[in-house]
Amino acid sequence: MENTKKTAVITGAASGLGLAMANAFAEEGYQLVLADINETGLEKVKNTLGENVITSRVDVSNYEQVEGLINLAVGQFGSVDVMINNAGIGPRNLVPVAEYSFKDWDDVIAVNQTGVFYGMKAALIQMLKQGQGNIINVASLAGLKASPNNISYAASKFAVVGMTKSAAMEYGRKKIRINAICPGYSHSALLDKMFKFKPELEDGLKNLIPFRRYGEASEIADAAIWLASDKSSYMTGQCLTLDGGLSL
C-alpha cells in the first residue's frame, strides 16, 4: 500500500468503472470524495467503503456543482491529490450521423467533454495552490479510432484525449501530471446498454478482440492506481490503452 492520507476525487463513482476505482483507491488507503448524479448508488458505495469516504450528488455538466465538489474535498480532507474525471454517458440511439438527434449530441457532449473540462479546471485551480497534483481522465478507445453510429461519444472522447495532452503541456512545470485511460470494450453500464440495443454485437465484438474477452472494471481501476502512484512519476500527457489488443 503506497498511499497514506492522500485524497482522491472520483466522478461517476456510483457504478461501473467509477465504482471499481473507488474500491481500488480505498484499498490503497486514499481518502475519497465520490460524486455521481445517482444519489442512491452513492449511498450504497459509502456504506460499503465506510470511513474516510464522503459523497456528493454532482452533475458534472454544471460548473458550480463541480467547483463545489472540489471545495468539499478541500474542506473535509485539506487537498485534492488525485482527480479522476470518469463520469460519462452514451447516446440513447446508435445511428448514423444524418439520423443523430440534437439531444443525444448535446447531452453526451455536456457530460463527457464539458464535464471533463470543468473537472480539470476546478481541480487545477486547487492543485496550483497546493503545488502538486495528478489528474486522470477516462477517455476511450473511441477517442483513438473510429466509432460508427456513435458520433457524439466519439467526438467527446477524442476531445478528452486532446484536452489531456494540451493541459499536460501547460502544467508539467507546476508538478501536476495529467494522463488519460482509454478502455476498450469493458464490462460496464454503457456496454450493457449497447448490447441491449444491438444484441448481435456481443459475440461479434468479442471475436474482434485478440484476448477473446471483454475487459473487467477492476483492470481499468488497476491502471488508474498506477497512474496515481509514484511508479508513473515520469509520465504525463499520455493515453494508456487497455483494450485486449483490439486497436492492433
Side-chain angles (χ1 to χ4, degrees), residues 40-127:
T40 302
L42 277 180
E43 191 63 28
K44 291 179 180 178
V45 176
K46 183 177 181 179
N47 291 339
T48 300
L49 296 180
E51 296 181 0
N52 294 323
V53 178
I54 58 174
T55 60
S56 178
R57 184 192 183 279
V58 173
D59 176 356
V60 296
S61 68
N62 182 310
Y63 182 70
E64 289 184 358
Q65 292 186 28
V66 176
E67 185 179 42
L69 175 67
I70 299 301
N71 292 338
L72 176 65
V74 174
Q76 183 73 21
F77 297 126
S79 66
V80 175
D81 300 290
V82 180
M83 176 70 182
I84 303 180
N85 292 302
N86 167 71
I89 62 173
R92 292 165 185 80
N93 296 294
L94 298 171
V95 293
V97 175
E99 301 168 32
Y100 219 82
S101 73
F102 292 119
K103 182 169 180 55
D104 268 346
W105 174 268
D106 291 340
D107 289 350
V108 172
I109 294 298
V111 174
N112 295 9
Q113 180 174 334
T114 304
V116 171
F117 163 62
Y118 286 168
M120 286 200 297
K121 179 178 174 64
L124 283 165
I125 290 171
Q126 173 58 30
M127 289 174 178

Side-chain angles (χ1 to χ4, degrees), residues 158-176:
F158 266 89
V160 170
V161 170
M163 291 190 292
T164 297
K165 291 179 177 292
S166 296
M169 286 190 69
E170 295 171 0
Y171 294 97
R173 294 182 180 180
K174 301 295 184 180
K175 297 183 179 179
I176 299 172

Side-chain angles (χ1 to χ4, degrees), residues 12-242:
S15 62
L17 300 184
L19 175 57
M21 291 178 190
N23 287 326
F25 277 82
E27 290 178 3
E28 290 292 313
Y30 279 79
Q31 300 166 143
L32 295 178
V33 181
L34 307 179
D36 203 291
I37 203 166
N38 179 358
E39 286 183 283
T40 302
L42 277 180
E43 191 63 28
K44 291 179 180 178
V45 176
K46 183 177 181 179
N47 291 339
T48 300
L49 296 180
E51 296 181 0
N52 294 323
V53 178
I54 58 174
T55 60
S56 178
R57 184 192 183 279
V58 173
D59 176 356
V60 296
S61 68
N62 182 310
Y63 182 70
E64 289 184 358
Q65 292 186 28
V66 176
E67 185 179 42
L69 175 67
I70 299 301
N71 292 338
L72 176 65
V74 174
Q76 183 73 21
F77 297 126
S79 66
V80 175
D81 300 290
V82 180
M83 176 70 182
I84 303 180
N85 292 302
N86 167 71
I89 62 173
R92 292 165 185 80
N93 296 294
L94 298 171
V95 293
V97 175
E99 301 168 32
Y100 219 82
S101 73
F102 292 119
K103 182 169 180 55
D104 268 346
W105 174 268
D106 291 340
D107 289 350
V108 172
I109 294 298
V111 174
N112 295 9
Q113 180 174 334
T114 304
V116 171
F117 163 62
Y118 286 168
M120 286 200 297
K121 179 178 174 64
L124 283 165
I125 290 171
Q126 173 58 30
M127 289 174 178
L128 287 169
K129 296 175 183 177
Q130 299 168 184
Q132 61 82 33
N134 192 324
I135 295 176
I136 301 169
N137 296 324
V138 178
S140 170
L141 185 60
L144 300 174
K145 61 186 293 293
S147 183
N149 300 320
N150 209 6
I151 189 69
S152 63
Y153 191 80
S156 69
K157 294 303 184 178
F158 266 89
V160 170
V161 170
M163 291 190 292
T164 297
K165 291 179 177 292
S166 296
M169 286 190 69
E170 295 171 0
Y171 294 97
R173 294 182 180 180
K174 301 295 184 180
K175 297 183 179 179
I176 299 172
R177 297 197 294 119
I178 306 172
N179 292 289
I181 296 174
C182 293
Y185 294 116
S186 304
H187 290 294
S188 66
L190 286 179
L191 191 67
D192 291 342
K193 180 179 179 181
M194 183 169 68
F195 291 155
K196 184 177 180 179
F197 186 75
K198 293 189 174 181
E200 68 276 9
L201 288 178
E202 185 166 1
D203 290 334
L205 288 177
K206 186 185 295 184
N207 289 333
L208 295 175
I209 302 170
F211 279 8
R212 293 298 189 271
R213 69 174 178 86
Y214 295 111
E216 299 296 337
S218 60
E219 293 174 308
I220 313 304
D222 286 342
I225 290 291
W226 183 73
L227 286 174
S229 76
D230 291 339
K231 293 179 180 179
S232 60
S233 59
Y234 200 53
M235 184 176 181
T236 195
Q238 301 304 304
C239 299
L240 196 60
T241 305
L242 299 101

